[in-house]
Structures are given as structure tokens and as C-alpha cells.
Amino acid sequence: MSELVNYTKQGEIGVITIENPPVNALSPGVPEGIAAGIEAAANDSEVKAVVLIGGGRTFIAGADIKEFGKVTSGEKPRFSLNSVLERIENSSKPVVAAIHGTAFGGGLETAMAAHYRVAVLSAQVGQPEVKLGIIPGAGGTQRLPRLAGVAKAVEMCAFGEPIDAKTALSAGILDKIVDGDLLAGAVEFAKNVIGKPAPKTRDRNEKLQDAAANTAIFALAREQARKTRRGQMAPLAAIDAVEAAAKLPFAEGLNREAEIFRVCLFSTQSKALIHAFFGERAVAKIPDIPKETKTYEIQRAAVIGAGTMGGGIAMNYANAGIPVIVKETAQDALDRGMATIRKNYENSVKKGRFSQGVMDQRMALITPQLSYDGFEQADIIVEAVFEGMALKKQIFGEVDAIAKAGCVLASNTSTLDIDEIASATKRPQMVIGHHFFSPANVMRLLEIVRGKATSKEVIQTSMQLAKKLNKIGVLAGNCRGFIGNRMIHCYGREAQFLVEEGAAPEQVDGAIYEFGLAMGPLAMGDLAGLDVGWRIRKEFKHLEKPGVRIPHMADRLCEIGRYGQKTGKGWYKYDAERKSSPDPEVTALIEQVAKEYGIERRAITHEEIIERTIYALVNEGARILEEGIALRAVDIDIVYLNGYGFPAWRGGPMFYADTIGLKHVLAKVEEFEKRHGSDLWAPAPLLRKLAEAGKTFEGWDKERESAAGA
Ligand code: 3H9
């Protein structure tokens, strides 16, 4: 056997147990170990049936994702999982897969090659490969439709969402749900199938037969994939592979799957999505803060401000079961805030996300009030008022006087200096930035901003709290706009310049949307409210450098009351359904602004829009990285994927730059510097250094990681 798989016996039942923590991935050694277990059972005349089970917290969570990078960089795979699965399926002694935790990807594929599958009620099964830009590569697209039917298989393989044990049972993927101890239940099940013919999934063709129905299923799935997985190749590829199951004999279907799998595996999209998968986990690791750092327990929260952000933040706490006070200064603002929260919850109930009962529980956890009553008991106080330093300092001064010792004092500022805010208190070590992204109850990013005095305990508490609130916490250093907004400032600036230079707003937004972002920068401004940035710009007016070009349009729109969607007009005009259309008033204003400032108008290409906006992000990202504001390039990517709608299949702005090649990016930045000046476009020294050395941002992360580990 291998060290990662062991084989024991319980009377007539051979038990193969996978022991590859933490998630029993099919790393080298595991498939071989399973094959050896099957072999041992075959050769043991006492053994009449086999149970395959995972040790620790889960069954097999899939192939070892780390291995994919080795394969794409030319290493020969050490084994063929398909051949191991064939051995399981060909076993003359029935094999029962016993599932707990998550049987994902290659895990579910292994289970489907067994003759029977039993699971505990809490188990989940799924083919999430598309989320990594690949498709199932060990028969998932061929065996799943044979067990669950074409519609279910398409849904699971193309969209990647897991299903629970009950659903899997009714779909035909599972044969039984086991109450109590899984191994005991599986052994009992195995005893009952001794001597019975072992059904091979590959031979079960009855659910594939209805060609007309299948055609309709594939057409609908393709339409959905194009709509909901815009720009991604893997979902469509997965549908092609399931279609092969419906049309070809098993062995040919398996070959077709292998071909498609390979194309996907070698794609840039897959590399980007795998980068995002590991990145999401890497951001939780902070080099100078050990895992065992003490944390404060957060059992009660209080939020100051019931506006869009305050309300959304309060919902996060309520959703996590943490009672939260929401404070406002005026009754009507408080009522409006609570009405919005209620409406958001009602929408979720209407959409079937949770029940009315759950909504009532969550609403009951939120206490609206006008006073600071109860703040003395809070474990965390989150300030979420508008972006004004004077007001924030006043609030932190007030809170400092009431909060108990050990209470985390967080500001939801999106740009302001955390150290200055902290200076309004006598406990700057407890002050930290918790920058949520709008809508705060939906967006997964929480930018956690470290002030110079913020204690390690407060940082660690914040990182763990992010998880509890179902957010991805990314640590940022303190500077104007931190990681996300400091970069977005450059991107938004270029978007406005492009408009002033001749591109229509819908042309700029259209190019960015086509690139894959959820929406373009101008539409995003309208959604967030143009007045927010206007207020911030006023706050920072004194920092403007004379002679450096600044964009004018957003301010001019605000000056005539066009704040965006909330006023029914901004860069666009909006109808009652919030559908946007270009507005001649805006076109006229753009032309007037260009004239006033002597900006020459010209035809702008799609390519220029992408390069000016995205490379502006990259160049600023490189500075942020060099200054240590972001710990790693991948942290910047994770911020952009989860806070700004950057397409995951492009990996984030820094990874995208790597895929384009930093030499090319640098050459463009230098060209823009010549055209638009060094104040705006001087290449970041790190970008130059890496480009000239033929390196990448991803490589830079790795070098630093291994230097830190050495
Ligand atoms: C596949 O199967 C292709 C097949 O068709 C076969 C082709 C031939 N590999 O998420 P966590 C690590 S594709 C390597 O924090 P949780 C993870 O990086 C695969 N490593 O835990 C982390 O490491 P660290 C299809 C993996 O409890 C640690 O394990 N399967 C893998 O919140 C703990 O992970 C998937 O896509 C892996 N497969 O969630 C499943 N999985 O501690 C991907 C995890 O150093 N995995 N790690 O940061 C998941 O969705 C979640 O990890 C899971 C557990 C739900 C399993």
C-alpha cells in the first residue's frame, strides 16, 4: 500500500482508507494506493466486498490542484486516474464508496466508478472543475449522466455547484444515506451486496436515451452558460463533453472528454482560475502574524450609520448570527436604513434563498437606535458614516469614551488615513479599517487596513471575523484608497480622460464589459453614486498638484445634480426600471468640457480603452506592491476579483499583466508616459525591474515566499 492509503479488513469486507490530509486530494500516491487496495482485496479470498472511505474530515475533494501546474509546465503525469477508476469498476468484488464531507471533482469521479455509493446526510457531491477553468477529466462527464441523467449532469458539470446528499440520492448518484457512523453503515451495506452482480456505471445507458430531450437540454445549458458564465470557455466545454456521453459509446466518450480536458487545462483561463483558487487561500496568511496569535471574541457588534454601507454591514453581522446595534442621528434616516434592510431580506425570501423564519431571526438581531446605549457592551464598533475626516474623528473620539477595553474600533473608510482616525482615540492599537464593498451584504471582499499602531491581535481578529462573515479578508497598508480604491482612482481617471478625448461613455463601458468586468467604470460610478467620489475629491483638493491633468466630467455631472442612479441620471439617464441610455445632455457637456480645457477630440479604439484603463491599474498595483501596501501581487488580484467585478478567468489585473507579458505592458506604459506625462504614467520601478528581467508578478510572489521561508 502507499503511506497515503491504508487497507484493513472487517470480516468479509476490505476497507480502503485514504489518509491525505487536509482534504484527501488525489495527490501522487493516492490513486496508486487505491489501486493497490483493490488488488489486495481481489487477492484475498476471505474478502467478498470493499468499502472505500476517506479518513479525517472528508472523502476525496478532487485531484491535487497543485499537480496541474506541473503538467502544464511539461512534467509527465505519473499516473492515469482513469486507469485506476477502471480497475475499481472492473473489480469482481463490489466496491462501496462511503462519502462524508465533500466528494468533489476526481472524488466524485472515483465514487462513480465504484459500484455503490452511500453517504452521510451532511455530505456534498459536485463537479466543480469549471471553477478552475477545466472540465471533469476522469470520466465525470461520462458517468454522471449515466447515474443522474443528462440534465442533472449538465447542470453539475457546466456550472460547478455542489449538491447535498438528499438531492444526490434522489438524482440517483447515491444509493443510500447512512444514519450514524459512516464506516459501520457502509460495511453493513457492503455485506448486503455480497454475491450480487456489481453494476458498472459505464454500462448504465438507460438515462441517456431521449435524443430530442437531450438536444433541448444542451441548447438551454449553452444559452445559460453564455449568459451567466460570460467569457468562460470551460462551462461550454463541459457541455460538449456531456453531449459526447449522450452520443458516443462510453470508451469514445471518455477519449473525447480527455481531449477537451487537455485543451482546457492548458488554457490561460484555467491558469488564471487556479491562481485565484490558491490566491483566495494565500491572502489569509500574514507573514508577521502567526496563526496562534490571540484574538478577541466578537459576540456583539454595533454599527454607526444606517446608510447604504452601514445597513449592508449590519446585515453581515446578523447573517452570521451576531446581534448588532445600528445607530443613526435622525429618526427618518434610521427608518429609511431599516426599510432598506427589510427590503433586501424580503427579496432574498422571494427568491427562495432562505425562509421567512430565517429573515425574522436576522431582523430580530438588528437593533435600530439613535443613542449610544449598549455600545459599552459591543466587542466591535464599526463606523460607517460618509467620507469626512472631521466627522470620523469626532465619532472615534465619542466611541473611545464609551467602548469597553478590548473592543475593536473599525472604520469603513474607503480612502482616509486610518492613523489620523486612530489619533482621535487613546487606543490606536484597537483601531483598524474594515472597508466593505457595496452592496456590503453581497460583495465578498473585506479590505482590512492596518494602521501603524494596529495590534496583531486586532488584525488576526479581523481576518477571522472576515471568514465568519463569509468574506474574503485581504490585509492592506494605510495609504489614500488602500489597495482597491487607490488603483481604481487611476482606472477611473483614465476612463474619464478617454471620454474627454473622444470616446462615448457607452463605448468605454462597453469595452470594459466585453473585457469581462461586471460593468464599466462609468456605469459603476452611476451605481455607487458619483457624489461619493465628489465628496472625497473635495476632501483631498489640497493635494492636487498644479499642472497635472485631472478629470473634470464626474465633478461637472455632480454640479448639475447628476449623482447617478439615485437621481435617475449620471453618466447615463435611467428609466423607472433603472435601464440606462445615453443622454444628449451628457454628450453636450463632454464636448463643452473638452473645449474649455483645450482637449483635442479624436476617434478612440477599443484596444486603447483596455490598455489605458487596465494598465493604469497594473502600474499603480506595482507601486502598491513595492511599497508593501499589498503583501503579494495575488492579494491585489483577490481584491479586484472580489471587490471590483474583475473577471476571475483573467486572474486579476496583476496576473492578467503577466499573461500579456510585462515587457509589453511596460512598453505601453512608456508610450502613455510620453503622451500624457510622467505625473500620470511614469512606469512603476517594480514593473520596469520585472519586465526588464523577463519576470512576472506571480514569480515575484514566489521568490519572496521562498525567501521568507528560507
Ligand atoms: C479535479 O478533481 C479534476 C478531476 O476531474 C480529475 C482530473 C484528472 N488540491 O479550502 P480550504 C487545500 S479538479 C490541492 O481552506 P475548506 C487548500 O489549498 C479538483 N489542494 O478548506 C488549503 O490549503 P492551505 C476538483 C487543495 O474546508 C487546504 O487544502 N476539486 C485541494 O474551507 C484546505 O482547503 C475542487 O475543486 C485540492 N483539490 O474547504 C475542490 N482542495 O491550508 C477544491 C483544497 O495550504 N477545494 N486544497 O491553504 C475546495 O473546494 C475546498 O478546499 C473544500 C474544503 C470544500 C474541499
Side-chain angles (χ1 to χ4, degrees):
M1 213 66 34
S2 90
E3 269 173 23
L4 303 172
V5 181
N6 59 55
Y7 175 73
T8 53
K9 280 200 295 186
Q10 292 201 9
E12 294 176 304
I13 310 299
V15 179
I16 303 173
T17 310
I18 301 142
E19 299 281 6
N20 184 24
V23 297
N24 288 329
L26 292 161
S27 318
V30 175
E32 296 90 322
I34 296 173
I38 295 289
E39 188 80 16
N43 293 335
D44 187 339
S45 59
E46 221 179 83
V47 166
K48 302 284 190 293
V50 180
V51 167
L52 176 64
I53 194 167
R57 70 191 214 212
T58 185
F59 189 70
I60 303 162
D64 186 339
I65 302 167
K66 288 192 289 294
E67 293 296 308
F68 293 146
K70 296 183 191 163
V71 176
T72 51
S73 35
E75 230 177 77
K76 262 208 153 28
R78 283 175 39 184
F79 67 93
S80 143
L81 186 56
N82 271 328
S83 72
V84 176
L85 301 195
E86 201 176 303
R87 277 193 241 175
I88 297 176
E89 203 165 45
N90 288 342
S91 162
S92 57
K93 299 178 182 179
V95 180
V96 180
I99 301 169
H100 72 300
T102 47
F104 281 178
L108 178 56
E109 290 173 307
T110 305
M112 290 192 296
H115 306 106
Y116 301 97
R117 285 146 297 278
V118 301
V120 292
L121 189 62
S122 58
Q124 290 192 316
V125 304
Q127 298 284 177
E129 287 89 341
V130 283
K131 295 185 180 175
L132 302 170
I134 54 174
I135 67 159
T141 62
Q142 308 302 301
R143 287 195 179 88
L144 191 53
R146 286 176 160 82
L147 288 180
V150 170
K152 196 79 197 159
V154 164
E155 179 194 317
M156 289 175 69
C157 294
F159 301 100
E161 295 308 325
I163 58 172
D164 60 25
K166 255 196 189 152
T167 314
L169 179 72
S170 62
I173 300 168
L174 295 178
D175 298 293
K176 188 177 187 251
I177 291 181
V178 169
D179 289 329
D181 184 67
L182 175 62
L183 179 60
V187 166
E188 204 46 45
F189 187 97
K191 281 182 186 159
N192 287 329
V193 295
I194 289 174
K196 296 187 183 154
K200 291 183 187 172
T201 306
R202 62 193 300 160
D203 297 336
R204 294 168 64 173
N205 293 330
E206 62 280 8
K207 289 193 177 174
L208 305 174
Q209 304 304 329
D210 191 341
N214 291 348
T215 305
I217 291 166
F218 295 128
L220 185 67
R222 287 190 174 104
E223 194 188 313
Q224 266 180 352
R226 285 194 186 101
K227 221 187 269 167
T228 64
R229 303 290 189 274
R230 199 165 54 86
Q232 295 186 40
M233 62 184 277
L236 291 168
I239 299 168
D240 291 348
V242 178
E243 192 169 26
K247 292 188 170 160
L248 301 173
F250 181 81
E252 282 175 47
L254 208 56
N255 287 339
R256 182 83 190 103
E257 180 194 79
E259 284 164 21
I260 300 174
F261 173 81
R262 218 180 137 72
V263 171
C264 291
L265 184 64
F266 279 82
S267 68
T268 305
Q269 289 201 1
S270 167
K271 289 178 189 138
L273 286 161
I274 290 175
H275 167 78
F277 175 85
F278 286 117
E280 223 177 85
R281 285 147 184 90
V283 293
K285 292 164 192 151
I286 301 166
D288 70 326
I289 302 185
K291 252 195 184 151
E292 46 298 345
T293 304
K294 187 182 138 255
T295 56
Y296 297 97
E297 221 174 299
I298 305 293
Q299 289 179 331
R300 284 162 199 271
V303 176
I304 301 172
T308 315
M309 291 312 290
I313 295 168
M315 288 175 76
N316 278 299
Y317 282 95
N319 297 350
I322 300 171
V324 56
I325 297 170
V326 181
K327 178 190 177 299
E328 254 301 343
T329 45
Q331 191 63 46
D332 58 336
L334 189 59
D335 293 344
R336 263 200 314 274
M338 288 305 290
T340 305
I341 293 175
R342 179 170 292 281
K343 207 171 103 202
N344 282 336
Y345 278 141
E346 279 167 356
N347 280 341
S348 296
V349 171
K350 258 188 231 147
K351 287 182 184 152
R353 291 205 187 106
F354 46 75
S355 66
Q356 181 67 41
V358 169
M359 164 171 166
D360 294 344
Q361 273 169 14
R362 292 183 182 181
M363 284 302 293
L365 286 170
I366 304 176
T367 309
Q369 61 185 47
L370 297 174
S371 71
Y372 277 122
D373 288 352
F375 272 57
E376 69 287 350
Q377 287 173 27
D379 301 304
I380 183 166
I381 298 174
V382 189
E383 165 277 309
V385 303
F386 73 78
E387 285 290 269
M389 182 56 90
L391 178 62
K392 295 209 188 245
K393 282 172 86 169
Q394 180 202 322
I395 287 173
F396 272 77
E398 287 167 10
V399 157
D400 191 32
I402 343 165
K404 67 179 182 188
C407 174
V408 174
L409 305 181
S411 170
N412 177 51
T413 177
S414 55
T415 42
L416 299 177
D417 182 351
I418 286 292
D419 293 333
E420 192 177 344
I421 294 175
S423 73
T425 74
K426 291 187 206 64
R427 42 175 138 179
Q429 75 282 2
M430 298 307 294
V431 177
I432 192 160
H434 280 190
H435 177 207
F436 287 82
F437 287 72
S438 190
N441 53 315
V442 177
M443 298 300 279
R444 287 198 71 208
L445 179 65
L446 177 61
E447 202 175 17
I448 296 172
V449 187
R450 176 181 203 164
K452 66 173 186 282
T454 311
S455 77
K456 290 186 178 178
E457 289 76 13
V458 168
I459 295 171
Q460 182 77 344
T461 303
S462 300
M463 296 302 291
Q464 286 190 3
L465 179 65
K467 259 202 178 141
K468 200 161 175 195
L469 300 183
N470 199 20
K471 301 279 168 200
I472 300 174
V474 178
L475 189 67
N478 185 27
C479 66
R480 179 181 167 186
F482 322 123
I483 299 174
N485 279 349
R486 178 167 152 187
M487 286 167 65
I488 209 76
H489 175 76
C490 305
Y491 162 90
R493 172 198 82 201
E494 289 303 315
Q496 287 199 57
F497 284 168
L498 286 158
V499 166
E500 291 173 1
E501 289 166 30
E506 60 276 20
Q507 191 194 344
V508 173
D509 281 342
I512 297 286
Y513 178 78
E514 213 175 283
F515 178 80
L517 272 91
M519 62 175 73
L522 309 173
M524 184 167 97
D526 275 0
L527 179 68
L530 297 174
D531 55 321
V532 180
W534 191 33
R535 189 171 290 131
I536 295 169
R537 284 190 291 279
K538 284 183 192 161
E539 187 85 23
F540 287 106
K541 197 91 195 148
H542 61 286
L543 295 179
E544 273 169 19
K545 228 167 125 186
V548 178
R549 181 179 174 192
I550 52 165
H552 301 285
M553 270 305 296
D555 288 356
R556 296 291 284 268
L557 289 169
C558 288
E559 281 163 17
I560 54 170
R562 302 186 69 116
Y563 289 178
Q565 288 197 19
K566 63 174 120 175
T567 53
K569 50 193 185 166
W571 285 100
Y572 303 95
K573 58 182 173 193
Y574 294 87
D575 65 14
E577 271 79 49
R578 300 201 159 196
K579 209 174 148 326
S580 66
S581 54
D583 191 338
E585 189 183 32
V586 175
T587 316
L589 187 60
I590 295 168
E591 280 163 9
Q592 189 188 321
V593 165
K595 212 163 158 194
E596 271 174 41
Y597 291 93
I599 301 164
E600 191 195 329
R601 309 256 301 154
R602 61 193 166 87
I604 307 249
T605 64
H606 179 102
E607 199 184 5
E608 180 175 355
I609 293 170
I610 299 302
E611 290 176 342
R612 293 248 320 257
T613 50
I614 306 293
Y615 295 173
L617 284 178
V618 174
N619 199 35
E620 196 62 21
R623 281 185 212 287
I624 281 175
L625 203 51
E626 200 162 26
E627 289 168 25
I629 297 294
L631 286 170
R632 291 154 289 236
V634 72
D635 289 40
I636 297 177
D637 287 336
I638 295 301
V639 163
Y640 266 79
L641 301 187
N642 295 285
Y644 295 87
F646 204 93
W649 52 270
R650 294 214 189 256
M654 309 313 276
F655 187 84
Y656 172 69
D658 282 350
T659 64
I660 293 296
L662 298 190
K663 267 204 178 99
H664 174 80
V665 175
L666 175 66
K668 278 287 165 190
V669 169
E670 284 172 339
E671 184 188 316
F672 297 147
E673 183 188 20
K674 274 196 202 111
R675 268 185 16 215
H676 305 284
S678 298
D679 282 303
L680 302 173
W681 277 104
L686 181 64
L687 173 64
R688 182 183 294 289
K689 192 172 107 184
L690 294 176
E692 287 174 354
K695 293 185 172 175
T696 60
F697 288 117
E698 198 181 33
W700 194 73
D701 278 358
K702 282 195 185 128
E703 271 175 33
R704 284 169 52 100
E705 194 188 331
S706 54

